[in-house]
Amino acid sequence: MRSASLHTSDLAIGYNLSGGAVNLLHQHINLQLHPGEVICLLGPNGSGKSTLIRTLAGFQKPLAGKVFFGEDNFNNLTAGQLARQVSVVLTGQVDIANANVFSMVAYGRTPYTGFIGRLRPEDRLIVNQALEQVGINNLAHRKFDELSDGEKQKVMIAKSLAQQTPLIFLDEPTAFLDFPARVEILKLLRQATRNSGKAILLSTHDLNLAIRFADSIWMMGKEKPIATGTPEDMVLQGQFGNYFDNPQVTFDKLSGTFTFDAEQIGEVAVAGSGLHRVWLEKALERKGYRLMGETKSGCRISVSENQHFVVNFINKKWIAEDIAAVLEILKKLDLSSENRATTT
Amino acid sequence: MTPAAATYQIHPHNTALKLLLLSLLIIIFFVLNIATGSVMIPPGEIVRILTGHAAAHPAWEGIVLNARLPQALTAMFAGAALGIAGLIMQTLFRNPLAGPSVLGVSSGASLGVAVMMLFLTMPAGKFISISHVTGNFGVVVAAFAGAFGVLLLIMALAARFRNPTIILIIGIMIAYAVTAIVGILQFYSLKEDLQAFVIWGLGSFANVSWQQLAYFIPLLIIGIVLALLMIKPLNALLLGENYARNLGVNTRRISLLAIFTSGLLIAVVTAYCGPIAFLGLAVPHFSRALLRSSDHLLVMPGTLLSGMVLALLCNLIARLPGFDGALPINAITSLIGAPVVVWIILRRNQISVS
């Protein structure tokens, strides 16, 4: 077993409420975070992801148990010592005018600079390296509040890198970002772990990206112990289903995505192959048509060789050039099974 | 300058030049404060008086040395102190509208003074004159207790309610409540005490004597030095409390130190000059807009200097010939301060603590 960067021992997290009451979210938490690992923290809203990150980062005290960095108990470290072990990227926008990107990233040097915070040449070098690593050196003199959400997020990540901590915690760093920006952020974080042996813990709602990028997943749920494992093991063990399934949503182990059942409005059989068939099926599912075996339905759609869609219904036939046209045709037909039983 | 240097320069806006300009303005306005007033004294005579020579009229010596000079010094230090107190409060509460008068801190200091003046002296049946009020060390302590009390209350509420608007509204309500208590105290006080309090309440830089300046200036310098010591943690606090903590700032300690410092600055100025409106709110915004920076390393000195400039300017306008003596200083600070804030909001279409 490799030695962990961070481990918890019988940690309990939650909040002390007024009047001595305690809102205990999770207890007996024993987790390890190893150097060079990207961990994705998953779980539905309200499962305690932010609370766990806040507790690990030292923003709030554990209700019980300890957090260790190497041999050091986090509770025994001063704010200044902790700032050299853990850096964070938090949810919520940093609202700061009149600051350029360089000085935002330079905030990461705060634990190392002197009394008034003046940057030494080596600090500037490290800030420039962080800008480069995140690929935003061209933004160095831009005003922070004029950046896009994705660029701002990169700036805060560069700040974390400039802080030169072995641990980086990020609370939903990909929220509010479009898909390419999310991929970019995660690639960047993974690179940081590969290059420097940093351990990164990030919470996210993006399961697809978590499965693609995480070395390991920590899965949180309400009233359930935290489950850990590689993304693939978690899928095979049905953990995604356990932690996220609800009556509306089910996790499809084959595609690794969540599916939700639309209200069924009829049955359709599909024939053919290739991309056109795949996307035809997706469209039919989205509209609520159940896909049946080829011969069991009164309605049958096949993809022709010239990539048109041929719709057969009992003894009628239409040819549609695109999926929109197929759906238009189906709308006019009554495909619900009860009605068909009476008509046939 | 090489391109690389330009790219990675953090503060590219001729900051040194701007700070130098502010310093020049301080000198100009300071000289004008001494040179002008309801009594016309020729410039040559003023130079003679300041260099220790006898003036043509002996009365002129008294006017320049014992009225105008201490008044200009008082204005200068009060402006710097209120500006810095406002800057600290705006950063600490993450609220661009925080300031000594807005959050009720000046009112708290007033309450302390009112209790001291109107209530404690009553049983003895002593009357208090305005000079007793401003000079009395007990009044300074009372003002500090009042200001510190309100700041602690706001801090406690700010820890509970994260929303800056809530804190602002509570601060305004505290100001009303404190003003009401002062009003009740006034109702039960002696006429002579009341008059002294009312005059004090109008605010003035004119009632601080040389003897009192010997306390006034050192106390404010202590506060200003404490503020300068907080430059780095205040910068970190601009990112929010959690980021600041993650950057190694002991946020609890800094919050207490910030409250102590702004409380000290506001209390000393209020005790000696009465509640001065608007300077504390407006000066930090003026400084940020001028220097186009949020870095306290620049904004703090900028606030110090522009606070001096604006207070000297206000004092100058209040004493312009033709205003028959002096206008209330609060009328001028509000007339100058309010447009400054409006201008900043309109120009940038936003108001920010950073």
Side-chain angles (χ1 to χ4, degrees):
Chain A
M1 190 87 189
R2 290 170 298 157
S3 66
S5 296
L6 174 128
H7 73 275
T8 65
S9 115
D10 267 337
L11 188 70
I13 60 170
Y15 291 89
N16 285 310
L17 305 173
S18 55
V22 172
N23 179 14
L24 179 72
L25 291 174
H26 289 275
Q27 57 183 340
H28 306 304
I29 304 171
N30 292 291
L31 296 165
Q32 278 114 39
L33 190 50
H34 296 105
E37 257 184 355
V38 176
I39 305 257
C40 280
L41 183 56
L42 299 176
N45 284 329
S47 57
K49 298 191 296 292
S50 288
T51 308
L52 179 63
I53 286 186
R54 290 174 53 84
T55 308
L56 294 181
F59 295 161
Q60 67 183 74
K61 288 209 159 62
L63 295 179
K66 289 176 183 125
V67 181
F68 288 95
F69 175 79
E71 301 294 313
D72 300 324
N73 183 342
F74 261 18
N75 280 340
N76 299 336
L77 298 180
T78 64
Q81 289 169 324
L82 201 53
R84 293 168 186 230
Q85 307 293 4
V86 179
S87 58
V88 295
V89 174
L90 302 169
T91 47
Q93 294 281 338
V94 174
D95 173 29
I96 192 161
N98 280 328
N100 66 16
V101 168
F102 185 94
S103 44
M104 288 302 287
V105 176
Y107 266 118
R109 300 309 296 160
T110 306
Y112 305 92
T113 54
F115 197 71
I116 55 168
R118 216 172 236 305
L119 297 176
R120 298 157 299 173
E122 60 262 41
D123 293 316
R124 291 175 168 275
L125 190 72
I126 290 162
V127 172
N128 285 331
Q129 281 168 351
L131 286 165
E132 212 160 301
Q133 208 174 336
V134 181
I136 52 170
N137 26 8
N138 57 327
L139 301 179
H141 54 279
R142 284 271 301 280
K143 287 228 162 185
F144 179 72
D145 62 350
E146 289 166 2
L147 303 179
S148 71
D149 287 346
E151 288 169 333
K152 279 182 183 169
Q153 202 61 272
K154 284 192 200 167
V155 172
M156 297 318 288
I157 290 171
K159 180 231 63 149
S160 277
L161 295 177
Q163 208 172 329
Q164 292 190 314
T165 54
L167 297 168
I168 300 180
F169 299 159
L170 306 96
D171 200 359
E172 297 194 24
T174 56
F176 313 114
L177 301 186
D178 58 24
F179 186 76
R182 288 184 208 184
V183 173
E184 207 180 341
I185 296 280
L186 280 163
K187 272 187 157 169
L188 205 131
L189 291 173
R190 197 166 65 177
Q191 232 166 35
T193 58
R194 301 276 148 87
N195 296 345
S196 60
K198 288 176 190 296
I200 291 180
L201 171 66
L202 66 106
S203 68
T204 179
H205 284 292
D206 198 325
L207 294 137
N208 293 323
L209 282 181
I211 292 172
R212 286 285 313 277
F213 282 95
D215 294 302
S216 184
I217 280 176
W218 294 358
M219 189 88 85
M220 295 182 88
K222 286 175 197 163
E223 327 258 302
K224 282 183 194 138
I226 299 172
T228 61
T230 63
E232 297 75 17
D233 282 336
M234 301 290 269
V235 171
L236 293 173
Q237 291 161 10
Q239 299 286 24
F240 280 89
N242 284 344
Y243 281 80
F244 281 95
D245 270 2
N246 67 28
Q248 270 85 46
V249 186
T250 47
F251 186 77
D252 178 25
K253 283 188 189 179
L254 191 59
S255 64
T257 56
F258 281 94
T259 57
F260 45 91
D261 299 325
E263 201 190 336
Q264 295 291 330
I265 59 169
E267 300 176 351
V268 177
V270 177
S273 60
L275 273 180
H276 280 71
R277 168 168 181 170
V278 171
W279 287 99
L280 174 66
E281 286 186 347
K282 281 186 197 287
L284 294 172
E285 274 176 349
R286 174 165 61 82
K287 286 290 181 189
Y289 295 102
R290 196 186 303 170
L291 303 176
M292 304 296 287
E294 290 198 19
T295 55
K296 287 182 187 168
S297 172
C299 179
R300 185 167 173 278
I301 307 171
S302 54
V303 180
S304 67
E305 282 187 8
N306 59 358
Q307 293 178 339
H308 287 160
F309 302 97
V310 183
V311 182
N312 291 289
F313 184 59
I314 310 178
N315 45 18
K316 293 184 190 132
K317 182 177 169 184
W318 296 266
I319 296 186
E321 290 197 4
D322 56 17
I323 289 176
V326 173
L327 296 177
E328 222 20 68
I329 294 161
L330 292 183
K331 214 158 135 190
K332 290 183 195 129
L333 306 173
D334 188 359
L335 297 177
S336 66
S337 46
E338 303 88 53
N339 291 343
R340 200 180 68 249
T342 57
T343 51
T344 48
Chain B
M1 191 182 294
T2 64
T7 306
Y8 297 124
Q9 202 176 7
I10 308 186
H11 311 296
H13 300 290
N14 303 324
T15 305
L17 195 70
K18 285 170 183 169
L19 293 180
L20 195 71
L21 195 73
L22 284 176
S23 308
L24 271 176
L25 282 176
I26 291 172
I27 294 169
I28 291 169
F29 286 148
F30 192 86
V31 169
L32 284 175
N33 262 283
I34 290 170
T36 60
S38 50
V39 178
M40 277 298 293
I41 303 173
E45 289 296 313
I46 289 172
V47 173
R48 283 180 60 82
I49 294 166
L50 289 179
T51 50
H53 296 87
H57 284 278
W60 289 354
E61 280 180 42
I63 289 171
V64 171
L65 292 178
N66 294 327
R68 291 182 186 174
L69 197 54
Q71 189 174 354
L73 283 171
T74 303
M76 212 170 93
F77 277 92
L82 290 176
I84 284 185
L87 175 64
I88 293 173
M89 288 171 70
Q90 285 167 11
T91 300
L92 183 66
F93 295 120
R94 299 192 54 70
N95 195 326
L97 289 176
S101 39
V102 180
L103 287 188
V105 184
S106 293
S107 307
S110 297
L111 178 63
V113 173
V115 168
M116 202 69 189
M117 280 172 69
L118 306 175
F119 196 63
L120 295 183
T121 58
M122 213 167 53
K126 277 191 300 183
F127 301 146
I128 280 197
S129 74
I130 185 72
S131 63
H132 278 98
V133 176
T134 52
N136 193 317
F137 195 71
V139 172
V140 177
V141 174
F144 182 73
F148 199 61
V150 170
L151 276 166
L152 278 182
L153 184 60
I154 291 172
M155 191 68 205
L157 293 167
R160 219 180 143 79
F161 307 101
R162 300 266 159 196
N163 187 337
T165 314
I166 293 179
I167 303 308
L168 202 63
I169 292 168
I170 290 173
I172 293 167
M173 292 306 125
I174 289 173
Y176 276 120
V178 167
T179 309
I181 296 171
V182 171
I184 293 167
L185 285 176
Q186 288 173 339
F187 188 76
Y188 288 106
S189 64
L190 296 176
K191 203 173 144 195
E192 290 79 359
D193 289 344
L194 180 60
Q195 197 183 1
F197 183 77
V198 168
I199 292 171
W200 171 86
L202 290 175
S204 171
F205 296 137
N207 297 319
V208 186
S209 68
W210 278 111
Q211 280 151 311
Q212 292 160 350
L213 275 179
Y215 296 98
F216 182 74
I217 292 177
L219 281 172
L220 292 187
I221 287 178
I222 290 172
I224 289 167
V225 168
L226 283 176
L228 292 171
L229 295 181
M230 285 189 285
I231 283 175
K232 183 173 159 179
L234 285 177
N235 272 340
L237 277 176
L238 286 179
L239 296 188
E241 203 188 331
N242 280 334
Y243 272 121
R245 209 181 312 177
N246 182 246
L247 292 171
V249 174
N250 186 333
T251 47
R252 182 180 296 252
R253 191 194 297 162
I254 285 302
S255 299
L256 279 175
L257 186 60
I259 281 186
F260 175 83
T261 305
S262 48
L264 174 70
L265 291 170
I266 295 165
V268 170
V269 173
T270 308
Y272 283 90
C273 307
I276 304 291
F278 248 110
L279 275 183
L281 170 60
V283 169
H285 288 294
F286 179 83
S287 168
R288 283 188 205 101
L290 179 75
L291 300 172
R292 290 199 214 161
S293 176
S294 55
D295 186 350
H296 289 77
L297 193 57
L298 305 178
V299 176
M300 187 83 80
T303 301
L304 185 88
L305 297 178
S306 43
M308 289 181 170
V309 170
L310 288 177
L312 284 169
L313 178 64
C314 290
N315 198 48
L316 190 66
I317 294 170
R319 292 166 56 255
L320 275 181
F323 285 160
D324 196 26
L327 291 174
I329 194 71
N330 274 328
I332 310 299
T333 53
S334 299
L335 276 177
I336 302 247
V340 165
V341 172
V342 171
W343 168 68
I344 289 162
I345 296 172
L346 292 182
R347 199 177 65 104
R348 300 181 44 206
N349 198 21
Q350 69 179 68
I351 186 164
S352 165
V353 296
S354 49

